Each structure stands twice: as C-alpha cells, then as structure tokens.
Amino acid sequence: MNRYAEILNHEISIYLQSLPDDGIYLPFKYILNLGGKRFRPSLVLLSTELFGGDIQEAIRPALGIEVFHNFTLVHDDIMDSAPLRRGKKSVHTKWNLNMGILSGDVMFAQANELISSCYPHHLKEIISLFNKTAIEICEGQDLDMQFENRDIVELEEYIDMIRLKTAVLVGCALKMGAIIGNSNAKDANLMYDFGVNLGTAFQIDDDILDLYGNELAVGKQSGGDIIEGKHSALMILSKKIANPSQLEQLNLFLSYNDAQKKVKDVKALFNSMNVKDAASELKKQYYSKAVKSIELLSIQDAQKKLLLDFAENLMNRKF
Amino acid sequence: MNRYAEILNHEISIYLQSLPDDGIYLPFKYILNLGGKRFRPSLVLLSTELFGGDIQEAIRPALGIEVFHNFTLVHDDIMDSAPLRRGKKSVHTKWNLNMGILSGDVMFAQANELISSCYPHHLKEIISLFNKTAIEICEGQDLDMQFENRDIVELEEYIDMIRLKTAVLVGCALKMGAIIGNSNAKDANLMYDFGVNLGTAFQIDDDILDLYGNELAVGKQSGGDIIEGKHSALMILSKKIANPSQLEQLNLFLSYNDAQKKVKDVKALFNSMNVKDAASELKKQYYSKAVKSIELLSIQDAQKKLLLDFAENLMNRKF
C-alpha cells in the first residue's frame, strides 16, 4: 500500500499544479495537501493490479475518488462545526463558510471529471457505480445528522448509516479497480462486498479506538464520542446489553458536565459490561464476511493472500 | 417552449415521487416544486427535436440539468444569505444550513446520475460537456463572490463572470440536445456558442431589468443591485462612461443610507449618462453573435426561424 500512496502523492502533486492558483482552488489544494494515507485511491490501484489491469488507466479515477473523499470532508466539517482536520484548521475555519461550500462543490465537479477519464469502454459501468456511491454517501451523512437528534438508535440503523456514510466508498474503490482490471462481473461484485464489509468493520473499529485506542497514536483525546454524546457502536451496544440499573447508571454518567469524569465513569461501566468485547465481536462478524468474499474470488491463491494480509493489517491497527 | 415545460413538469413530478420522502429529499422536492420556467431543460428538448433526435432519450438528461440548476440555487442562496427564492423561503431558511448544504450535494449527485442515463454512445461526450460546465459554474460563482470585495471590476471581467456563472449552462443544455439529436460536431458547437452568447445577453438584460423593468412584473423592488452595491452591467458601464464630476456624484449617491433616495438619484444620473442605452448596446452585441451562430447551422431555414423567434422572444421580455 505504501508504494501506491507514493505513486498517488506524486500524481496528486502534478494534478494540483494543473489547477488555478486562486479563489476556490486554494482550499482545494490545501485540503489535498493535508496528507492522509491515500487509503481509498490506493485500493483502486491495488484492485486494478490484482486483476492484471493497466495502472495508468486507474490513476485518474483513483485521484477522483480521493478528491471526492476530500470534498465530503470539507462539507462534513462545516456540518459538524469541526474546527480542525488532521490537526490543522478545517477549510471553513481557515477561510470562511462560503469558501467551504464552494470549494467543496468544485471538488465534487472535478472528481466527476477525473473519474470519467477512464477508458470509454469502462465509462458506463464506472460512472454508474460512482454516482450510486456518491448518492449513498450523502444519504449516510443525512442519517448521521438525523441520529444526533434521536434518543435511541438501533444497531441495525447504525450499521446501515456507517455502511452508507463510510463503507460503500471502500467497496466502490475496490470494484472500480476490478472493472478497470477487466475482471468478470462476479469478481467485481465480490470486491465490492469485500470492501463494504471491510469498511463496516473498520468503522466499528474506529468507534472502539475512540475510547480504547492509544491516545497519543490516535492523536486526539480518548472518549470524544462519549463527550459528544454520539450514538457510537460502543454506546448502542452498551444500551442493548445493560440491565435496568446499569442503564440508569449510564444515563446518570452521561448527564455529567465534567467531560473527564464522564469519560472515566462511562468507560468503567462499559468495562464492567464487556462492551468492548461485544463491539469486537460485531467487528469480527463483518470482517469474516469480508474474508468470505475474498475466498470466492476467481484469482490465484497468492493474490487472495495479498488481500487477506491487507485486510488483517487494517484490522490490527492500534490507532 | 410551453409544450416542453409541460412535458418536463410531468416528468419531474414522476421523478420526485421515485425519491424517498424524508431527510435531505424533502428540501430536494421543495425546491424543484417551487416552479420556475424549466427554461434550461426545455432547451435540451428543443435542441434534440431540432436535430431530429429521440426526445425520450433527452428527458432524463434534461431533468439532470434542471436538478443541477436547482442545486446551484440552493447553495448560492446560502452563500448570498438570501432568505427567499421564487417568493418562498430558501432551503437553508426553511430548514437550516446543514440541510441546505447536504440536500444541495445530493441534488448534484442525482443530477450526475440523471445526465448519465443518456444512450451509451453519447455518454462520453455528454459527460465531458456537463463536467466542464459544472466546473465552470463553480468558478463563475467564485468570481462573483470575489467581485463583492473589489472596488473596481472591469467590463471584460464581468462578462467573463456571467459567462461562467450563467451562460455556459444555457450553451450546455443546447449542445446536449444537439448531441442527443445526433447533430454533426460543427452544429453542436454552434448551438453551444448560440447558447453562451444568448445567455450572456440574457444576463445583461437581467441587470437592465433590475432597474428599468416593470416592478410589479419583475416581482421585486427596482434597483436591488444598486442597493446591494453590486457590480452590475449598468454600474460597470456607468463608471466607464462617467466624467470625473459624474463619477464623484455617483460615489456620493452610492454612499447614501436611504435606499430609496440612493436608487432614485443613481437612476437619474444613469439616465443623464444614457447608461441604459450603453447596456442595451452591449446586450445587442451578444445577441447578434448568438444570431450569427444560428445562421451558420446546417439545418432547414424554417428551423432556424424557430430558433430565431425563440431568441427574440427571450430578448423582448419586460420582466
């Protein structure tokens, strides 16, 4: 994956140089230059190579996926009133609301342009896949915002939300690479399922790490989700597991104004209820589904091993 | 054009029924149901028929143009802090900022989906045209926002801004119809030029009508551009025409706090300088360019006449 990230960083820098140097293109370049692991576009390249495709065809669509992802970050940061992104000022904080909205819009438009620069015989399929994904991601963000105003969110609703908001883009990136690699339709769909389930497991892991991750490595305070009162995987599971007295305790702790005490007491209660184990179990369910898709692929075992190692690596991160 | 608007209103209502009935789709349906003349999508149908194309192929791309246009209205209203749209509450006023941003985003995504449902052999060309146009429209809105913070805007800069922000979508709609109608490349480009020049003339006309239109028919107070201190065609031309003492007067009038007195005095000054005639002259230049493109088309004279009548009608509106 590091090799892909290197290739992509090089291509991103050439691409950004081709854009104007003023107005809405300043935040565009700023957010793309904040770094990140280039996870999603790397998946496009990985999948293309896995099926023996031409990596040169994959690069601009992969950039499109990255630009689109960054567009969602810019608009999400406005909607979440997030002052920071990757430790630096978010776009609407560094500039203003209007620049946040409009630079996001032009990033979406440029992402469309990049993605449609695949070879013409793949265009219809790639465009359909991407448009469906973009629509679902908006719908996922919509659900996420709706949940903020709800007292109760069911586990199935939560899973549906993270699938739409996060996981489908992972599936889209992998399927896009498969299409560019001229895979058969069955394999392309298996790559999609692999990605969606892996992305779901990854997001559940994210919720676990928010409370149980290495604070220094994660780069933010532990328990942010608890402080914000988010319906995270941990919180939803805890409410499912809790007996009436534990539920009463939980609600009491959540009403604390002192953020540190709130996190400490909620975490202790979670520990007594084995909430972390329940979340890990849930994560494993989706990880297993992802692995099953790999097994069904009609590619060499050595290549399946490659995918498996990648998935396993992703699941074993400590931050 | 009325026939097309009727067809489109029918298709829009079927389309909207196919969308979910909650969350971000509520503002989506709201803004599309606020009406409007369906001017841009009608141009797609008109142009398709002009070249003998299948109007059934044109309908979904035409809806895409209308949905995209409405997306830009929703986001522009946020950026302009506009409380009203077509006499009703703007989306971010009726709901909130986040709903304005996200419903706009999903409208853009759904517009992409609609536009790419043309026949596959037209896809590459239509997608390229549309992506280029969407990018330019963002760039036009960027220029418009930049101008708000400028003391001086040159006429050429202003023309460039309205070309990007408004006129290219008219050109895009007409060229899209030509492509769907299987026109030759030369005719498709002539339709584009026709649209861009007509759209530019239309926008200059809009600026003239803002001060000289029938107040009741326009549906808003005369002189809104003057009150807001906008760099309109009239304002830019007046500054070009003015001698030093007139310029001094103009700046004095523009500094008035009393909006009514400001409009009255500026208008009187404009009249003494024949600013309206200068703007009409400018408008005619672009109108003439538009007409020249029609003449060069390789279609029947009767059909050229149809386009000419349409263009003339558009130019002779009183509101």
Side-chain angles (χ1 to χ4, degrees):
Chain A
M1 291 294 277
N2 282 341
R3 180 168 68 89
Y4 295 130
E6 266 176 44
I7 296 173
L8 286 163
N9 279 326
H10 177 68
E11 295 288 341
I12 286 169
S13 111
I14 295 173
Y15 170 68
L16 292 181
Q17 280 169 33
S18 76
L19 298 174
D21 248 333
D22 62 353
I24 42 177
Y25 288 105
L26 297 178
F28 190 142
K29 294 178 181 194
Y30 169 79
I31 184 97
L32 263 298
N33 278 327
L34 281 188
K37 294 179 292 294
R38 314 299 185 196
F39 172 57
R40 292 156 193 82
S42 292
L43 294 180
V44 181
L45 304 192
L46 170 80
S47 187
T48 300
E49 286 210 321
L50 202 70
F51 291 97
D54 179 359
I55 209 172
Q56 282 310 310
E57 184 192 349
I59 281 176
R60 283 177 69 86
L63 290 192
I65 292 285
E66 182 69 3
V67 169
F68 175 81
H69 173 59
N70 277 268
F71 141 66
T72 66
L73 298 181
V74 171
H75 278 196
D76 282 5
D77 282 347
I78 300 174
M79 292 184 256
D80 299 342
S81 303
L84 297 178
R85 167 63 59 184
R86 296 189 176 123
K88 298 273 169 64
K89 280 185 182 171
S90 52
V91 164
H92 69 282
T93 312
K94 191 171 163 74
W95 282 271
N96 54 50
L97 172 67
N98 287 0
M99 283 291 261
I101 293 173
L102 195 62
S103 66
D105 291 346
V106 83
M107 287 167 79
F108 191 178
Q110 295 278 8
N112 290 328
E113 168 67 19
L114 284 164
I115 281 165
S116 64
S117 15
C118 59
Y119 294 167
H121 60 285
H122 291 139
L123 183 62
K124 179 77 197 167
E125 213 177 343
I126 282 182
I127 289 282
S128 298
L129 168 68
F130 177 64
N131 287 339
K132 176 171 167 282
T133 305
I135 291 165
E136 288 179 337
I137 288 169
C138 293
E139 293 174 353
Q141 171 69 5
D142 187 19
L143 285 180
D144 199 14
M145 294 196 319
Q146 286 180 31
F147 289 175
E148 281 174 24
N149 303 316
R150 300 242 311 250
D151 289 331
I152 304 280
V153 171
E154 301 297 336
L155 187 60
E156 294 69 27
E157 295 178 304
Y158 169 81
I159 293 289
D160 196 44
M161 183 276 282
I162 61 174
R163 181 180 65 81
L164 292 167
K165 179 168 171 165
T166 309
V168 293
L169 190 56
V170 178
C172 169
L174 286 164
K175 183 171 177 177
M176 195 175 280
I179 294 168
I180 295 172
N182 295 305
S183 83
N184 62 45
K186 190 183 150 225
D187 279 353
N189 288 329
L190 284 168
M191 288 301 281
Y192 183 79
D193 294 341
F194 164 59
V196 171
N197 286 312
L198 188 71
T200 304
F202 186 85
Q203 191 54 48
I204 296 167
D205 203 37
D206 228 45
D207 284 8
I208 298 173
L209 290 171
D210 183 80
L211 189 60
Y212 292 102
N214 179 326
E215 198 162 305
L216 276 175
V218 176
K220 55 184 180 184
Q221 202 193 350
S222 275
D225 287 349
I226 291 175
I227 296 168
E228 289 168 32
K230 261 187 71 175
H231 295 286
S232 72
L234 295 172
M235 190 59 71
I236 292 168
L237 286 167
S238 77
K239 287 179 179 171
K240 257 174 98 91
I241 297 168
N243 61 36
S245 95
Q246 285 168 326
L247 198 59
E248 205 173 307
Q249 265 192 305
L250 179 60
N251 287 328
L252 172 70
F253 297 161
L254 288 174
S255 71
Y256 289 167
N257 286 321
D258 180 342
Q260 263 196 307
K261 189 167 161 48
K262 186 193 287 198
V263 172
K264 190 170 152 278
D265 287 4
V266 169
K267 189 173 182 176
L269 182 62
F270 280 6
N271 289 343
S272 76
M273 290 158 60
N274 295 319
V275 173
K276 188 186 171 189
D277 291 347
S280 297
E281 192 44 52
L282 185 68
K283 170 184 124 179
K284 267 185 210 147
Q285 279 176 30
Y286 286 92
Y287 181 69
S288 300
K289 284 190 200 182
V291 169
K292 266 190 197 123
S293 296
I294 297 181
E295 286 162 5
L296 295 170
L297 285 167
S298 58
I299 54 174
Q300 304 278 317
D301 283 350
Q303 290 172 308
K304 291 185 185 177
K305 179 82 171 42
L306 210 111
L307 272 182
L308 257 175
D309 286 350
F310 157 70
E312 214 163 301
N313 250 317
L314 202 67
M315 282 303 110
N316 288 328
R317 71 202 170 114
K318 293 278 166 277
F319 56 91
Chain B
M1 290 295 276
N2 281 341
R3 180 168 69 89
Y4 297 129
E6 267 175 42
I7 296 173
L8 286 162
N9 279 326
H10 177 68
E11 294 289 341
I12 287 169
S13 109
I14 295 173
Y15 170 67
L16 294 181
Q17 280 168 33
S18 76
L19 298 174
D21 247 334
D22 62 352
I24 42 178
Y25 288 104
L26 296 179
F28 189 141
K29 293 177 181 196
Y30 169 78
I31 184 98
L32 262 298
N33 279 328
L34 281 187
K37 295 180 291 295
R38 314 298 186 196
F39 171 58
R40 293 156 193 82
S42 293
L43 293 180
V44 181
L45 303 191
L46 170 80
S47 187
T48 300
E49 286 210 322
L50 202 69
F51 291 96
D54 179 357
I55 209 174
Q56 281 310 309
E57 184 191 351
I59 281 178
R60 284 178 69 85
L63 291 192
I65 293 284
E66 182 69 3
V67 170
F68 175 80
H69 173 60
N70 277 269
F71 142 67
T72 65
L73 298 182
V74 171
H75 278 196
D76 282 6
D77 282 347
I78 300 175
M79 292 185 255
D80 299 342
S81 304
L84 298 177
R85 166 64 57 185
R86 296 189 176 122
K88 298 272 169 65
K89 280 185 180 171
S90 52
V91 164
H92 67 282
T93 312
K94 190 171 165 72
W95 282 271
N96 54 51
L97 172 66
N98 287 0
M99 282 292 262
I101 293 174
L102 195 62
S103 65
D105 291 346
V106 83
M107 288 167 79
F108 191 178
Q110 294 279 9
N112 290 328
E113 168 67 18
L114 284 164
I115 282 165
S116 64
S117 17
C118 59
Y119 294 169
H121 60 285
H122 291 139
L123 183 62
K124 178 76 195 168
E125 213 177 341
I126 282 182
I127 288 281
S128 297
L129 168 68
F130 177 65
N131 288 338
K132 175 171 166 282
T133 304
I135 291 165
E136 288 179 339
I137 288 169
C138 294
E139 292 174 354
Q141 170 69 4
D142 187 20
L143 284 179
D144 198 14
M145 295 197 318
Q146 285 179 30
F147 289 175
E148 280 174 24
N149 303 315
R150 300 239 315 248
D151 289 332
I152 305 279
V153 171
E154 300 296 338
L155 187 60
E156 293 70 25
E157 295 178 304
Y158 168 81
I159 294 288
D160 195 44
M161 184 275 284
I162 61 173
R163 180 180 66 80
L164 292 167
K165 180 168 169 163
T166 309
V168 294
L169 190 57
V170 179
C172 170
L174 286 163
K175 184 172 178 178
M176 196 175 280
I179 293 168
I180 295 171
N182 296 304
S183 84
N184 62 45
K186 190 184 151 225
D187 279 353
N189 288 330
L190 285 169
M191 288 301 282
Y192 183 79
D193 294 343
F194 165 58
V196 170
N197 286 313
L198 188 72
T200 305
F202 186 86
Q203 190 55 46
I204 296 167
D205 203 35
D206 227 44
D207 284 8
I208 298 172
L209 291 171
D210 182 80
L211 189 61
Y212 293 102
N214 180 328
E215 197 162 306
L216 275 175
V218 175
K220 54 184 181 185
Q221 200 192 353
S222 274
D225 287 351
I226 292 174
I227 297 168
E228 289 168 33
K230 259 186 72 175
H231 296 287
S232 71
L234 294 172
M235 189 59 72
I236 292 168
L237 286 167
S238 77
K239 287 181 179 169
K240 257 175 98 94
I241 298 167
N243 62 35
S245 97
Q246 285 168 326
L247 198 58
E248 206 172 306
Q249 266 192 305
L250 179 60
N251 287 329
L252 173 68
F253 298 160
L254 288 174
S255 71
Y256 289 167
N257 286 322
D258 179 342
Q260 264 197 306
K261 189 168 163 50
K262 187 194 287 199
V263 173
K264 189 170 154 280
D265 287 5
V266 170
K267 189 172 181 176
L269 183 63
F270 279 6
N271 289 343
S272 75
M273 289 158 62
N274 295 319
V275 173
K276 187 185 173 191
D277 291 347
S280 298
E281 192 44 53
L282 185 68
K283 170 184 123 180
K284 269 186 209 145
Q285 280 177 30
Y286 286 92
Y287 181 70
S288 300
K289 284 190 200 185
V291 169
K292 268 193 193 119
S293 295
I294 297 181
E295 286 162 6
L296 294 170
L297 284 167
S298 57
I299 54 174
Q300 305 278 317
D301 282 351
Q303 290 172 307
K304 289 184 187 177
K305 179 79 171 38
L306 210 110
L307 273 181
L308 257 175
D309 287 350
F310 158 70
E312 213 163 302
N313 249 318
L314 202 67
M315 283 304 109
N316 288 328
R317 71 200 170 118
K318 293 279 167 279
F319 55 92

